[in-house]
Amino acid sequence: MMLKVAVQMDPIETIKIQGDTTFALMLEGQARGHALSYYNPDTMAMRDGAVSALVAPVEVRDIEGDHYGLGDYERRSLSDFDAILMRQDPPFDMHYISATHLLEHIHPKTLVVNDPAHVRNAPEKLFVMNFPDLMPPTLVTRDRAEIEAFRAEFGDIVMKPLYGHGGGAVFRITREDLNFGSLYDLFAVTFREPWVVQRFLPEVKDGDKRILLIDGEFAGAVNRVPAENDLRSNMVRGGAARATDLSAREREICERIGPALRERGFLLVGIDVIGGNLTEINVTSPTGVRAVKKLGGPDAAALVWDRIEAIRKGK
C-alpha cells in the first residue's frame, strides 16, 4: 500500500545523513513506494480548527552533499496525509510543545509518530522517573540545599538541564570540586527549568548503551563509548559507536518499560543505559537507527515502517 507521509523536521539541508535516523526512515519509506513530503514546524498554522503547513514533495538519496530534492511548496492540510513523522530535534520548549498541540488535532486519523499528546506529557528525563528502581539515585530540582544534600550523600554527581539534549551542559561534580558554587550560579541564570542530578556512574567509561524499542519491543542496540577525557558518550559529542548485545539486566529493563511505551503510542523509542542503570527514555526524536544497522544489528527503520503500515491497515 502506498501511504502519503509528511516529515516534520529541522531544515533538511542541515542534517548529517550518515548518522541521521530521520533520513534513514525517509530512505526506507521511499524504497517502499510511499509518497514523502517535507515541512518545517515553523510553517505550521491552525485556522478554524484545521491544521496546515507549507509542504513540499521530497526525494532522498544516500549521497553526502546531494541527499535531497524538493518540489514546490504549497500550503496543505496535514489531515490529508496518512502519517506524519514528528522528527524535529529538541529543545523541548514552548515551540516544540505548541507543535504537539497542533498535531493532536489530527491524530490518530492521521497517524503521528510518536503520539503528540503523550510525547508532550513524557519529557525524556521525567518520564524515566516512573521507573526509579531501574535508575541510579536521581534528583530533579533547582533547590541548592537539596542538591548539596544529594552531593553530600553520593559525593560524585552529574548535573544536567532537565530539557537538555545531545549531551549539552552535562557536568560531573566530585565531592571536593570547588567549581560547584560557580556551576550552580551558571545553571541558575541559564536555565529556567529544574535540573537533573544523578549519582555518577563510573561504568560510563565502558559506554552508554542506546537501545531501540519499536512498539515496546527490543529492536537493536549500540554502545556509545565516550571520547578520551570526555564524560559524554553522545555520538554528536565525539562518542564512538560499538556493536553490542543486551545483558540480562538490559532485557529486564526493556520488558519492564515496553508495556508503558505501547500504551502511549510510542512507536520508536531510544533508551539510555549505563552499567545496568536506565538514565533516559527518549521519545521526541530518538536516534541510533543507522548506527545499529551499520554495526550488523536489525534494520530498525524497516521495523518502524512495518508497524506504521500495519496500523494503517487496521491490524
Side-chain angles (χ1 to χ4, degrees):
M1 63 183 301
M2 188 275 285
L3 299 177
K4 293 182 293 182
V5 180
V7 184
Q8 175 178 308
M9 61 185 290
D10 298 310
I12 193 169
E13 64 271 16
T14 67
I15 64 174
K16 296 178 173 57
I17 65 172
Q18 293 305 313
D20 194 273
T21 289
T22 304
F23 189 72
L25 293 169
M26 294 172 77
L27 283 173
E28 179 64 22
Q30 180 175 274
R32 293 179 178 225
H34 300 316
L36 300 183
S37 296
Y38 156 83
Y39 70 94
N40 186 288
D42 288 347
T43 71
M44 295 175 73
M46 177 186 284
R47 180 171 178 176
D48 302 326
V51 182
S52 66
L54 280 178
V55 179
V58 61
E59 293 184 1
V60 289
R61 43 194 174 263
D62 205 359
I63 303 173
E64 193 75 50
D66 185 28
H67 61 275
Y68 74 99
L70 294 176
D72 295 332
Y73 281 96
E74 61 175 325
R75 183 156 293 278
R76 293 184 59 183
S77 171
L78 294 183
S79 62
D80 290 343
F81 292 91
D82 298 301
I84 290 177
L85 305 183
M86 184 174 65
R87 291 289 310 176
Q88 85 266 25
D89 288 337
F92 193 82
D93 55 14
M94 291 308 298
H95 176 53
Y96 195 103
I97 290 171
S98 297
T100 69
H101 278 290
L102 296 182
L103 290 176
E104 189 179 357
H105 282 261
I106 63 172
H107 178 81
K109 182 179 178 182
T110 293
L111 176 66
V112 181
V113 180
N114 288 319
D115 183 304
H118 283 298
V119 165
R120 183 174 66 246
N121 292 332
E124 355 265 39
K125 297 178 181 66
L126 281 177
F127 179 43
V128 69
M129 299 290 284
N130 290 353
F131 308 94
D133 59 310
L134 302 179
M135 300 180 64
T138 301
L139 170 70
V140 178
T141 189
R142 286 180 66 89
D143 187 83
R144 179 166 180 164
E146 284 293 313
I147 299 173
E148 288 178 335
F150 188 90
R151 183 182 179 213
E153 180 178 356
F154 295 104
D156 207 347
I157 64 172
V158 171
M159 289 178 58
K160 52 190 174 182
L162 182 59
Y163 299 121
H165 65 102
V170 177
F171 291 90
R172 175 186 177 186
I173 304 293
T174 61
R175 185 183 297 276
E176 305 301 328
D177 196 327
L178 299 179
N179 290 307
F180 171 74
S182 295
L183 181 62
Y184 176 87
D185 291 342
L186 177 64
F187 268 48
V189 299
T190 305
F191 304 107
R192 296 186 61 190
E193 71 264 28
W195 314 312
V196 178
V197 186
Q198 290 182 323
R199 177 173 62 83
F200 174 69
L201 299 171
E203 299 94 333
V204 72
K205 72 180 186 306
D206 301 317
D208 178 351
K209 196 169 291 190
R210 165 54 56 90
I211 301 172
L212 300 175
L213 295 98
I214 295 174
D215 204 19
E217 300 290 337
F218 170 70
V222 59
N223 194 34
R224 303 171 301 178
V225 180
E228 188 175 358
N229 298 322
D230 201 331
L231 165 69
R232 303 163 301 173
S233 58
N234 310 70
M235 286 182 277
V236 295
R237 306 292 178 183
R242 300 285 186 264
T244 188
D245 294 317
L246 293 195
S247 67
R249 169 65 169 177
E250 289 158 351
R251 292 192 180 277
E252 176 194 353
I253 290 172
C254 293
E255 291 169 2
R256 279 281 308 284
I257 71 174
L261 304 181
R262 283 191 295 274
E263 289 169 8
R264 291 164 172 79
F266 293 149
L267 263 65
L268 176 58
V269 169
I271 67 172
D272 297 335
V273 179
I274 301 173
N277 294 274
L278 178 65
T279 60
E280 291 189 17
I281 301 177
N282 298 277
V283 302
T284 51
S285 185
T287 62
V289 165
R290 298 210 90 179
V292 168
K293 184 178 179 181
K294 286 177 183 176
L295 291 169
D299 187 346
L303 296 174
V304 169
W305 282 108
D306 288 346
R307 189 68 192 115
I308 292 173
E309 291 166 0
I311 292 171
R312 294 310 305 174
K313 289 177 183 177
K315 295 182 180 180

